[in-house]
């Protein structure tokens, strides 16, 4: 399914979130209920109504994917979860505030819809957030850096020529070089190190998959995207959707237990996500 959803993206950035405060269905055996309740109590499931199940985000500077798995998500505190969402928006050059704005808008729309769904419960459902890691802004910035570098090189060559020809008129104060941009006018490199894309020390335990980031080559993302966009004015699309309804229930399904009102657990999760992404936007929107 992920290949179908990411087909239209050049560098698919994917956030997989377990939603709600309850992670078992009405048909779950008692052992399952106890284990899931205990797991939820030690994660952000209870406090935020959402837990990280997986993530991959494209790092433009290193040309690789920064990834996290569900075991990493189970260890996150509230602050750690917020930091992870920040990492999801950071491409190695900048925080994608344009993406944050779209996510906030779509989360508000989804929350408004679910608030009107009486008796529906989305037990064990997940929320997928997908956007394109291709960043036209960074492409233009890199082009400007290259242009400035070429201008500096041309200026250096011309300066050397003047030194070799002391009788040249190039230094009469009317040289076209006086109008060229100085070195200081060129944009600086944005390749500052940050935990959002620094490598972590792999750790394993209990026979489970390693809690580590997995970096892959540019052409080999974990969720491959075959689609390509060549429009220079291309704006990366964003896809947000609820998935996994195997244990969902609502009035009229014939289940033994019928609920009333909207699903408060998933409403809490959507509200938490909206607040976190809004905080990120306000913090970095200068």
């Amino acid at each position: 399914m992920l290949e179908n959803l990411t087909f239209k993206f050049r560098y698919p950035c994917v956030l997989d979130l377990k939603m709600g405060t309850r992670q078992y269905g009405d048909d779950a055996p008692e052992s399952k209920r106890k284990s899931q309740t205990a797991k939820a109590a030690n994660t952000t499931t209870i406090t935020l109504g959402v837990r990280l199940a997986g993530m991959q985000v494209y790092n433009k500077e290193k040309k690789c994917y920064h990834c996290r798995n569900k075991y990493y998500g189970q260890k996150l505190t509230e602050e750690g979860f917020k930091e992870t969402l920040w990492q999801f928006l950071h491409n190695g050059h900048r925080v994608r505030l344009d993406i944050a704005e779209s996510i906030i808008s779509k989360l508000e729309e989804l929350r408004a819809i679910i608030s009107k769904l009486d008796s529906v419960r989305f037990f064990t459902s997940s929320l997928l957030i997908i956007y394109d890691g291709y960043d036209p802004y960074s492409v233009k910035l890199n082009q400007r850096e290259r242009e400035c570098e070429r201008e500096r090189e041309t200026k250096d060559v011309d300066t050397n020529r003047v030194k070799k020809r002391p009788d040249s008129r190039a230094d009469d104060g009317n040289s076209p070089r006086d109008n060229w941009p100085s070195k200081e006018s060129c944009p600086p490199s944005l390749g500052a190190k940050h935990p959002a894309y620094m490598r972590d020390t792999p750790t394993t335990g209990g026979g489970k998959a390693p809690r580590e980031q997995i970096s892959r080559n540019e052409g080999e993302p974990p969720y491959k995207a075959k689609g390509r966009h060549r429009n220079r004015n291309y704006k990366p699309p964003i896809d947000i959707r609820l998935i996994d309804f195997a244990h969902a229930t609502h009035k009229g399904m014939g289940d033994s237990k019928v609920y009333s009102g909207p699903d408060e657990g998933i409403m809490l999760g959507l509200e938490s996500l909206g607040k976190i992404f809004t905080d990120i936007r306000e913090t970095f929107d200068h």
Side-chain angles (χ1 to χ4, degrees):
M1 182 184 70
L2 280 173
E3 288 188 354
N4 293 335
L5 294 178
T6 59
F7 178 82
K8 59 186 177 182
F9 299 99
R10 179 179 293 190
Y11 303 120
C13 299
V14 183
L15 189 65
D16 185 2
L17 303 165
K18 273 294 183 183
M19 300 299 296
T21 55
R22 173 176 152 179
Q23 294 300 318
Y24 59 86
D26 289 333
D27 58 346
E30 188 62 26
S31 58
K32 179 76 170 182
R33 293 170 180 250
K34 289 182 178 180
S35 64
Q36 290 299 323
T37 300
K39 182 184 295 184
N42 295 316
T43 66
T44 56
T45 292
I46 291 296
T47 56
L48 297 177
V50 57
R51 183 177 78 232
L52 179 72
M55 181 185 80
Q56 74 170 35
V57 58
Y58 182 69
N59 185 300
K60 184 173 179 60
E61 180 163 315
K62 293 188 175 181
K63 293 182 173 56
C64 65
Y65 282 85
H66 175 91
C67 303
R68 296 298 191 187
N69 58 31
K70 65 179 182 180
Y71 304 110
Y72 177 83
Q74 292 171 8
K75 300 293 183 179
L76 288 176
T77 61
E78 286 190 34
E79 289 303 315
F81 181 78
K82 295 175 182 178
E83 175 71 13
T84 301
L85 294 192
W86 181 91
Q87 293 176 9
F88 179 64
L89 294 175
H90 202 291
N91 65 3
H93 282 281
R94 67 185 182 106
V95 178
R96 296 294 304 275
L97 296 180
D98 55 331
I99 299 297
E101 189 68 37
S102 296
I103 290 177
I104 293 169
S105 177
K106 290 181 180 295
L107 288 175
E108 290 175 349
E109 293 177 7
L110 182 58
R111 189 172 186 274
I113 293 172
I114 292 179
S115 67
K116 300 176 182 178
L117 298 179
D118 180 51
S119 80
V120 179
R121 291 297 179 270
F122 297 91
F123 298 137
T124 75
S125 293
S126 297
L127 183 73
L128 281 182
I129 301 179
I130 310 172
Y131 74 88
D132 200 333
Y134 175 72
D135 186 1
Y137 174 85
S138 294
V139 172
K140 293 179 181 179
L141 182 61
N142 290 339
Q143 290 174 346
R144 176 58 182 156
E145 289 178 340
R146 289 193 294 269
E147 290 173 1
C148 286
E149 184 63 29
R150 285 195 295 268
E151 289 172 354
R152 286 195 292 266
E153 292 175 354
T154 302
K155 185 175 181 179
D156 291 341
V157 171
D158 190 60
T159 301
N160 292 334
R161 289 176 180 175
V162 171
K163 290 180 179 180
K164 293 179 181 180
R165 298 172 57 189
D167 59 338
S168 172
R169 297 181 182 180
D171 295 324
D172 60 1
N174 297 319
S175 172
R177 290 183 286 107
D178 294 337
N179 298 323
W180 291 352
S182 64
K183 181 177 181 180
E184 289 73 21
S185 68
C186 297
S189 172
L190 300 182
K193 292 183 179 180
H194 193 282
Y197 49 92
M198 293 175 65
R199 296 186 63 85
D200 296 338
T201 302
T203 57
T204 59
K208 296 180 178 179
R211 289 176 46 240
E212 61 169 322
Q213 69 174 37
I214 305 172
S215 296
R216 311 219 176 172
N217 293 331
E218 180 173 341
E220 299 177 348
Y223 309 144
K224 293 185 178 180
K226 300 178 181 179
R228 292 293 181 268
H229 303 274
R230 296 179 175 85
N231 187 349
R232 293 183 178 180
N233 297 322
Y234 160 71
K235 294 182 179 180
I238 298 177
D239 194 351
I240 297 182
R241 63 181 67 202
L242 279 172
I243 62 172
D244 299 337
F245 304 115
H247 300 286
T249 182
H250 63 84
K251 183 170 54 180
M253 290 185 64
D255 293 334
S256 58
K257 188 172 183 179
V258 178
Y259 299 86
S260 62
D263 189 330
E264 296 296 336
I266 198 168
M267 291 284 287
L268 172 62
L270 292 172
E271 181 180 357
S272 297
L273 289 173
K275 287 181 178 179
I276 295 173
F277 281 116
T278 298
D279 287 345
I280 294 173
R281 180 191 62 184
E282 294 177 352
T283 298
F284 292 93
D285 188 13
H286 302 298

